[in-house]
Amino acid sequence: MTSSHPLDRAVWNALTSRQASLALHVGGVVRFDPAYATFAAAGPDARPEDWLALTTATGRAALFEADAVVPEGLVEVDRIDCLQMVATNLSAGGKLIEFEALTDADGPEMLALATLTQPGPFFSKTHLLGPFIGIRREGVLVAMAGERLSLDGFSEISGVCTHPDHRGHGYAGALMRAVGQSILDRGDTVFLHARIGHAATIAFYGTLGFRPRTTPSYVVMEAVPAIS
């Protein structure tokens, strides 16, 4: 279970450091409270029965790392191959666009926007994993971006999305620069994830200053159904 880089096992490192308060433990495995995220990870003493107990008690869980292997007793439900990208500084440029800090009171509207646009897994409390900012037009939230995984030295940009009726105005870039600069200003490296097949998205992230690092897979698992 050793790794040469903290981001190789970002979920494990987040749940055993900065985001430990959101962790649910079963034996040698740990996961986020499912209201926040599906992410789970195994420690050095994890056993297949720990995974089975975890998913039986809390529902589907997801590995998010390179070479992810589904533990015995679980079945793979979905797999998304991703590109992990990092930035230690951001490129200059982009529009200056007014945005606002989002709060827990905005949670239902944030969930609705994420459900519509599908920026990645987003649940009832995902917006509480880190600070989020958003853009409103005529009082309606039309774009947002925020933080998700946070571990010592690294913070992730996630939840970046724009309503289809409001794309093409530079909102995503402006929000990502603002979130990313806030992360850099407190001394962390910024990272994010994109689907491998989304070439245009990856190229866009490259214009902001992000560079490819590794290729984790998001693997959703559940307990093998009992045969009746």
Side-chain angles (χ1 to χ4, degrees), residues 101-125:
L102 300 176
T103 71
D104 192 22
D106 301 303
E109 199 172 3
M110 298 167 74
L111 179 60
L113 181 60
T115 300
L116 173 68
T117 58
Q118 296 294 307
F122 206 97
F123 305 96
S124 62
K125 293 186 177 181

Side-chain angles (χ1 to χ4, degrees), residues 56-185:
T56 299
T58 65
R60 290 180 175 179
L63 291 169
F64 197 23
E65 54 194 61
D67 303 318
V69 177
V70 177
E72 181 182 350
L74 303 188
V75 61
E76 182 178 311
V77 177
D78 191 21
R79 178 181 291 261
I80 300 173
D81 295 326
C82 298
L83 177 66
Q84 184 184 90
M85 306 179 75
V86 298
T88 53
N89 56 74
L90 298 175
S91 62
K95 295 182 179 179
L96 295 177
I97 297 173
E98 185 176 352
F99 58 83
E100 64 182 61
L102 300 176
T103 71
D104 192 22
D106 301 303
E109 199 172 3
M110 298 167 74
L111 179 60
L113 181 60
T115 300
L116 173 68
T117 58
Q118 296 294 307
F122 206 97
F123 305 96
S124 62
K125 293 186 177 181
T126 301
H127 65 283
L128 298 176
L129 287 173
F132 269 79
I133 57 175
I135 296 170
R136 292 187 179 276
R137 291 294 176 262
E138 298 182 356
V140 177
L141 183 67
V142 300
M144 67 178 186
E147 298 181 35
R148 185 171 61 180
L149 293 175
S150 182
L151 53 149
D152 292 340
F154 302 88
S155 292
E156 180 191 24
I157 293 180
S158 187
V160 181
C161 54
T162 303
H163 191 286
D165 294 342
H166 294 270
R167 290 173 181 164
H169 299 292
Y171 294 166
L175 292 174
M176 289 183 69
R177 280 190 169 91
V179 174
Q181 193 59 55
S182 177
I183 292 170
L184 293 171
D185 287 348

Side-chain angles (χ1 to χ4, degrees), residues 64 80-86 191-198 201-203 205 210-217:
F64 197 23
I80 300 173
D81 295 326
C82 298
L83 177 66
Q84 184 184 90
M85 306 179 75
V86 298
F191 71 106
L192 54 72
H193 295 91
R195 292 183 183 230
I196 286 288
H198 288 190
T201 299
I202 292 170
Y205 292 159
F210 287 88
R211 297 293 177 263
R213 191 192 157 268
T214 190
T215 52
S217 294

